[in-house]
Amino acid sequence: MLTSTLLLSKQLPTLQYSFTPERFDESWEAPLSTLLGLGRAAGADFIEFFLERVNYISCLAEEDAITSITPRLSTGAGVRVFRGKADCYVSTNDLSFSGLKAALEKGLSILGLQLPAPNAFIPEINLELLRDYASKRGKDSWLPLCTSMRDMGDVLLESTTQLQQKASHVQSRRATYFRDWQEVLVAASDGTFARDIRLTQSVALMLLCADGANRASLAERGGNTSDPNFLKAWDHKQAAEQIAESAGKMLYADYVESGTYPIIMANHFGGVIFHEACGHLLETTQIERKTTPFADKKGEKIAHEALTAWDEGRTENAFGTIDMDDEGMPVQRTLLIEKGVLKNFLADRTGSVRTGHPRTGSGRRQSFGYAAASRMRNTYIAPGEYSTDDLFASIDKGIYCKKMGGGSVGATGQFNFGVDEAYLIENGKITKPLKGAILIGEAKEIMNKISMCSQDLSLAPGFCGSVSGSIYTTVGQPHIKVDSITVGGR
Amino acid sequence: MPNISEIANYAKESAGKLGIKKFDIYGSTADGTSVQVDQGEPKQVKASNLSGVTVRVWNEDNTMGVTSTTDVDPKGLELALKTAYEASFFGVKENVPDFSPESTVPLDNSSHDKAPQAPVSDLIESLLAAEKEVLAAHSAIIGVPYNSLSQRDFDRFYLNSDGAMRTESGSTSSIFLYSKTEEDGKKPRSGGAFRISKGLDHLDINGCIKETAEKTISHLNYEKIKTGKYRVVFSPDAFLSLLGAFSNLFNAQSILDKQSLSTPDDLGKEIAVPLLSVYDDALHPANIGAETFDGEGTPTRKVSLIENGVLTGFLHSAGTAKRMNAQPTGNANIGAKVSVSPNFYHVFAAAPGEVELSLETAENVVFIDELQALHAGVKALQGSFSLPFDGWLVNKGVKTSIESATVAGDFLEVLKSITFIEKEPELTPGGVCPKIWVDELSITGD
């Protein structure tokens, strides 16, 4: 015979829950169910708890010494409360039952909601059986399998030695590595109850060469999710060779002559052009703010027919890969643009409620300090039908943007991004290195000027900053041709 | 969060248990609320009460390790100390960071005044009213997509096993408005403004509304600008953005790491026109939320960086000061490798210019209001920049908004090409600065 699990609000102060403090497991179901019920009894339409535990470490090698090893431990929770379309987000470091309850009460009171009277029933919230992506995929063993402090130092020192050997006119050389282990638990009043572990690692080499007044600084980054052995398997020799070769070419490069040019943008990190010029504008966050020109264009042609683009979280080991988003939804593959026609937006829960577009497993956040928002995961332009030779052959005078820097897009759709390594194209051939280029344009215009895509899709790790903080993402594309774009220089 | 005495006691007990004799801790707590609105309705309220500490531990071999944690109860602090101790065996063996010699110097100006926190409903009402006024300023303004009104209380402390103990508290309140226009056949335009004060009562919300509306409206009638060389006037915000992007010039740690445009021998060299003087002054009266000690417990102060065009000083931590035979300056951030950063710039004219220039009379000058994409367009180690900007072409006082363009140049050349520094300083989040006139910069437009 079933016993009643209904609670009276006056019983709350005397409740004693024993949940596992060092792990997010099924033992958290009872306290979180009670808190979600309390929020509903107070009149909230929807409540979500996001619990997080982080074990992070970074390491820096400069010249031939390890100069910094920095561990960081973090625990915390965020509770989001909805009343109608208004919402409140409260974050706290305190993961005890009373700490979580205090955060919930603060959120409720901010929205003008009062806790139920002492004899009120607290409705039971039936959470689903814990969807545990961590246990299912053996992720609980990842942290102890990660590279030790000693080994991470050894790998970085080997790589700075490689830089010294491969490059000339070296002024400084650095290597950095970080490992970000994150355990998350999501419980919501619609029954969502899910757990995951993410392991994100990144290693980067930075080289500054100087010869008199000539200077060149270049960097190369590798990234990975879900492989504890990533650092040891990283090919630091090849990375050092690439960066040394690029620095050698850029050291004596002329400044680019400003103007409007056709350009070829290399694959790999070149994908930042789509990320900035279009990806951000397909997030429902932008529809809510009315800062995207594409808000009412679903089903319409917004780009050249040569362009097809995806955003997904499933590519094995890519930097933006996740099994579930930060709202507990299983990740999916989302077709953004197909042959120039806009197919889908990226929606989190709030974006879906406020704009009507279906959720896509895109609710992401940097940490418990932020409410989730619609964000990109692995975003890339699909391979096309041309060879890279075809692209070069189509240009009499233009610029080859081999290595991109960062970029940004503003509220009016204007975007920009820097070029770290560029070359002049004359009569279909690369002729000389150029430096100091920054590309600017407007999203609506540029999307119709990406007229040729080659077959060599390649992905690259990146960091994306927006309303819910800095998150790990992938950009990517094959070599593409942009018919014309403004290039700022001297 | 436990109070500072409790944290100190927990740390001492845990350190004793672990056999750790030398440690220091920097920590802070922040209790904040911010609101956003959208088209006359509250959009999102955020509240947080967060804390964090960084512990440094020196082992028997005098190498140092560090760990940060948000868990400041006895168990969390013990784990942090333990992790830092473990990391200490991989710490540097040369130039090991040490306690600042000034961490126990008496401080008499630490503030512990907090402004009363306003009810959330007041924040929402104030921001809704602000949004309404911006929308009413012009029919083309269709939204204020980015807006925020926030208040925050903070406490920070530094303590070490040699008996240093510093604390301070304070409050800040700020408003940010950023509006957007739409007109048939024209490109969307935007403009924004920011204000900060100690408490909501003194926050210049009306000034923020006025500036946001005026700026946005001024961009409605835009035109392309022809590519070429122009005389450029940097707004205080734009000039400080550029100065901040090239702050490695003054950063002693960057200089020692060969990650700077300066070298130790550059002190005393003329790097700018004699018109220019630059200080870093955390204690400047205009610095809201000024900090009186840095992450190593060193008191902050006024530091002369450029005097009459001559490089006169660097920003130091305790470690860089020791290595360069100087004094720490109160600019250190605690860490395994102590980093150095500016506190609050004060830029001013060291002497009157030979000519008095004015936007009311000058012909065809580019007034750069705000620089964008500094993370992408600045090559801090090369000295060069190429940046998109918001601004106007100004001809005898008539401002015409520039559709989209970039400005490019070399920062060291910019410092040598300043022709005029206006008298009236303006307050920005990063410091105080007047408008700065520079000759001959490359503008790429049409």
Side-chain angles (χ1 to χ4, degrees):
Chain A
M1 186 176 131
L2 289 171
T3 55
S4 170
T5 55
L6 286 178
L7 280 173
L8 288 174
S9 54
K10 68 181 176 189
Q11 295 170 309
L12 284 170
T14 59
L15 284 177
Q16 294 292 327
Y17 289 110
S18 57
F19 43 87
T20 317
E22 289 86 18
R23 192 171 188 270
F24 296 142
D25 57 17
E26 294 85 350
S27 66
W28 287 79
E29 180 184 357
L32 291 173
S33 297
T34 300
L35 290 169
L36 292 167
L38 181 64
R40 292 283 287 140
D45 294 323
F46 178 80
I47 308 108
E48 174 199 79
F49 280 89
F50 175 81
L51 276 57
E52 182 193 30
R53 193 188 324 276
V54 169
N55 186 320
Y56 174 97
I57 191 166
S58 64
C59 182
L60 168 67
E62 293 175 279
E63 318 303 336
D64 298 308
I66 298 299
T67 55
S68 171
I69 289 189
T70 309
R72 175 166 54 83
L73 308 167
S74 167
T75 54
V79 54
R80 192 164 187 171
V81 183
F82 276 85
R83 186 186 190 197
K85 287 190 174 181
D87 72 300
C88 176
Y89 189 76
V90 180
S91 49
T92 176
N93 295 130
D94 190 347
L95 287 191
S96 68
F97 181 76
S98 60
L100 295 173
K101 181 166 164 283
L104 172 66
E105 283 180 21
K106 186 163 190 175
L108 293 168
S109 69
I110 285 172
L111 290 178
L113 299 171
Q114 290 184 339
L115 290 176
N119 287 314
F121 283 110
I122 306 298
E124 192 175 9
I125 300 295
N126 292 309
L127 295 178
E128 64 178 317
L129 196 64
L130 181 67
R131 266 185 291 123
D132 190 345
Y133 295 95
S135 296
K136 195 174 160 188
R137 293 194 51 201
K139 300 179 185 181
D140 287 302
S141 65
W142 280 357
L143 183 58
L145 290 175
C146 284
T147 309
S148 68
M149 284 192 208
R150 182 175 301 283
D151 287 349
M152 68 178 74
D154 287 347
V155 174
L156 295 192
L157 289 175
E158 282 173 31
S159 61
T160 56
T161 303
Q162 288 293 323
L163 283 177
Q164 180 66 36
Q165 290 172 357
K166 308 285 181 194
S168 58
H169 302 291
V170 175
Q171 175 156 326
S172 72
R173 52 205 159 87
R174 292 177 155 198
T176 64
Y177 164 78
F178 75 76
R179 178 212 73 209
D180 187 358
W181 178 95
Q182 181 200 39
E183 181 186 19
V184 298
L185 183 74
V186 181
S189 57
D190 66 352
T192 300
F193 191 42
R195 169 183 185 253
D196 198 9
I197 284 174
R198 290 85 177 256
L199 176 64
T200 310
Q201 296 172 89
S202 175
V203 61
L205 291 183
M206 286 146 280
L207 179 64
L208 170 63
C209 297
D211 182 13
N214 296 305
R215 287 176 159 230
S217 57
L218 270 295
E220 183 71 36
R221 177 176 296 282
N224 181 274
T225 55
S226 70
D227 177 8
N229 201 43
F230 160 71
L231 183 62
K232 284 186 184 170
W234 174 56
D235 189 344
H236 53 78
K237 282 186 186 171
Q238 190 190 27
E241 266 169 29
Q242 277 177 3
I243 192 172
E245 186 185 342
S246 294
K249 287 178 179 166
M250 297 310 294
L251 185 57
Y252 305 106
D254 291 334
Y255 280 100
V256 69
E257 190 181 324
S258 60
T260 301
Y261 296 90
I263 62 166
I264 291 173
M265 195 168 288
N267 57 3
H268 207 60
F269 200 67
V272 73
I273 186 175
F274 185 78
H275 180 100
E276 299 296 352
C278 188
H280 276 297
L281 302 175
L282 301 182
E283 296 165 345
T284 49
T285 311
Q286 306 287 340
I287 300 178
E288 286 180 56
R289 294 178 193 274
K290 299 183 175 60
T291 49
T292 171
F294 304 130
D296 55 355
K297 304 290 184 203
K298 194 166 171 177
E300 294 182 26
K301 187 171 172 299
I302 64 162
H304 197 283
E305 58 269 18
L307 194 142
T308 292
W310 292 88
D311 181 277
E312 48 83 9
R314 298 166 74 169
T315 296
E316 193 69 24
N317 284 335
F319 213 47
T321 293
I322 44 176
D323 277 326
M324 69 172 205
D325 72 1
D326 290 326
E327 296 177 326
M329 182 176 177
V331 81
Q332 60 169 230
R333 225 169 158 236
T334 309
L335 179 60
L336 300 175
I337 295 171
E338 187 176 35
K339 294 181 179 171
V341 176
L342 177 59
K343 291 292 185 181
N344 287 294
F345 289 92
L346 298 174
D348 62 324
R349 182 188 293 279
T350 316
S352 180
V353 168
R354 290 179 178 152
T355 68
H357 293 289
R359 289 170 70 194
T360 51
S362 305
R364 301 189 66 195
R365 56 186 118 195
Q366 177 181 327
S367 70
F368 68 89
Y370 298 84
S374 54
R375 303 292 295 273
M376 285 176 266
R377 300 157 297 191
N378 305 314
T379 314
Y380 49 84
I381 295 173
E385 58 193 21
Y386 297 97
S387 68
T388 50
D389 288 344
D390 294 335
L391 271 58
F392 278 96
S394 72
I395 292 179
D396 290 333
K397 185 178 181 188
I399 294 172
Y400 176 42
C401 302
K402 187 178 178 188
K403 191 168 174 51
M404 304 303 299
S408 63
V409 61
T412 57
Q414 281 203 335
F415 66 83
N416 53 74
F417 36 97
V419 189
D420 285 347
E421 186 180 353
Y423 298 88
L424 185 65
I425 303 170
E426 291 174 298
N427 300 319
K429 305 283 181 201
I430 289 174
T431 54
K432 65 172 190 173
L434 298 169
K435 66 182 175 188
I438 191 158
L439 311 182
I440 60 171
E442 197 179 352
K444 262 166 71 173
E445 290 175 0
I446 205 75
M447 297 307 295
N448 283 296
K449 291 180 179 173
I450 299 175
S451 61
M452 296 173 82
C453 298
S454 70
Q455 299 149 8
D456 53 352
L457 170 66
S458 176
L459 306 181
F463 304 87
C464 173
S466 185
V467 289
S468 59
S470 176
I471 59 169
Y472 308 122
T473 57
T474 296
V475 297
Q477 64 180 29
H479 276 76
I480 62 168
K481 179 190 175 190
V482 180
D483 291 338
S484 69
I485 192 166
T486 302
V487 179
R490 293 194 195 178
Chain B
M1 179 182 172
N3 64 38
I4 293 162
S5 302
E6 287 169 332
I7 292 175
N9 287 334
Y10 297 158
K12 280 175 193 160
E13 280 171 26
S14 296
K17 204 159 64 176
L18 295 166
I20 295 167
K21 292 188 176 58
K22 185 174 177 181
F23 63 91
D24 66 357
I25 305 180
Y26 176 87
S28 63
T29 65
D31 187 357
T33 312
S34 68
V35 301
Q36 293 171 47
V37 300
D38 181 29
Q39 303 287 340
E41 296 288 334
K43 188 177 181 197
Q44 187 177 68
V45 179
K46 283 185 189 171
S48 62
N49 188 352
L50 303 174
S51 57
V53 299
T54 300
V55 301
R56 296 192 297 185
V57 165
W58 284 258
N59 63 27
E60 305 74 40
D61 302 330
N62 199 37
T63 55
M64 188 270 286
V66 64
T67 294
S68 298
T69 182
T70 59
D71 202 352
V72 291
D73 65 12
K75 205 174 159 187
L77 276 172
E78 185 178 329
L79 180 60
L81 284 160
K82 213 170 161 178
T83 309
Y85 184 71
E86 190 187 338
S88 71
F89 292 98
F90 300 93
V92 289
K93 293 187 171 50
E94 292 176 5
N95 303 311
V96 182
D98 203 346
F99 293 161
S100 167
E102 298 191 17
S103 63
T104 49
V105 170
L107 259 185
D108 54 11
N109 56 353
S110 284
S111 167
H112 291 86
D113 292 337
K114 289 184 180 172
Q117 294 248 346
V120 174
S121 55
D122 288 4
L123 298 181
I124 292 172
E125 277 173 29
S126 299
L127 192 56
L128 284 170
E131 184 197 39
K132 196 174 171 184
E133 275 197 55
V134 172
L135 289 170
H138 197 283
S139 57
I141 300 178
I142 53 104
V144 189
Y146 295 94
N147 61 71
S148 169
L149 180 56
S150 66
Q151 57 186 5
R152 176 175 166 268
D153 286 348
F154 63 87
D155 297 270
R156 45 194 296 275
F157 68 89
Y158 172 84
L159 61 88
N160 68 31
S161 53
D162 272 3
M165 171 71 92
R166 301 199 186 285
T167 65
E168 73 185 349
S169 313
S171 305
T172 57
S173 181
S174 64
I175 182 168
F176 174 63
L177 299 169
Y178 190 87
S179 62
K180 186 189 164 195
T181 69
E182 262 184 30
E183 287 182 301
D184 282 346
K186 287 194 158 186
K187 292 183 176 178
R189 307 294 282 169
S190 60
F194 174 81
R195 293 288 188 281
I196 187 167
S197 72
K198 279 193 183 296
L200 187 63
D201 289 351
H202 297 100
L203 191 60
D204 181 17
I205 296 177
N206 285 332
C208 191
I209 294 167
K210 196 163 171 267
E211 187 182 335
T212 301
E214 282 178 0
K215 211 176 266 186
T216 310
I217 293 165
S218 77
H219 287 305
L220 285 173
N221 295 314
Y222 56 86
E223 285 182 16
K224 286 183 185 295
I225 186 169
K226 282 200 184 319
T227 295
K229 300 270 188 186
Y230 288 81
R231 172 176 279 184
V232 167
V233 181
F234 286 100
S235 72
D237 187 60
F239 188 77
L240 288 177
S241 296
L242 213 50
L243 188 67
F246 291 98
S247 63
N248 67 43
L249 267 172
F250 317 115
N251 187 317
Q253 187 64 59
S254 300
I255 292 164
L256 289 167
D257 291 343
K258 296 180 185 169
Q259 298 280 314
S260 173
L261 298 172
S262 300
T263 70
D265 298 333
D266 286 343
L267 279 182
K269 283 188 182 167
E270 189 172 288
I271 65 163
V273 293
L275 283 176
L276 182 73
S277 284
V278 177
Y279 291 166
D280 178 66
D281 186 4
L283 305 176
H284 192 284
N287 186 13
I288 307 295
E291 298 183 343
T292 56
F293 57 90
D294 71 5
E296 294 183 315
T298 303
T300 55
R301 67 200 69 184
K302 183 191 281 187
V303 184
S304 170
L305 300 172
I306 298 176
E307 199 89 50
N308 298 91
V310 175
L311 185 64
T312 48
F314 297 138
L315 303 176
H316 284 286
S317 64
T320 62
K322 192 176 172 187
R323 290 172 68 186
M324 295 174 79
N325 198 23
Q327 294 296 311
T329 55
N331 293 87
N333 307 297
I334 195 170
K337 174 167 179 160
V338 176
S339 62
V340 176
S341 55
N343 289 314
F344 190 80
Y345 284 120
H346 179 196
V347 178
F348 59 98
E354 287 176 10
V355 285
E356 190 87 7
L357 300 172
S358 164
L359 286 171
E360 293 303 314
T361 53
E363 293 180 24
N364 290 322
V365 297
V366 172
F367 179 22
I368 294 180
D369 183 46
E370 190 180 335
L371 293 167
Q372 297 158 1
L374 285 112
H375 65 292
V378 165
K379 302 294 176 202
L381 300 180
Q382 297 175 16
S384 62
F385 61 89
S386 179
L387 298 164
F389 66 89
D390 281 343
W392 304 270
L393 183 65
V394 186
N395 192 20
K396 293 180 182 173
V398 178
K399 287 162 61 177
T400 305
S401 177
I402 295 168
E403 183 185 326
S404 71
T406 64
V407 57
D410 179 281
F411 187 65
L412 292 174
E413 284 175 21
V414 166
L415 292 178
K416 293 269 192 185
S417 308
I418 294 172
T419 51
F420 183 59
I421 298 173
E422 297 198 0
K423 290 186 188 71
E424 202 59 45
E426 290 177 31
L427 173 63
T428 79
V432 287
C433 180
K435 293 187 187 80
I436 308 276
W437 293 60
V438 176
D439 263 354
E440 292 285 293
L441 278 173
S442 294
I443 302 288
T444 303
D446 197 16

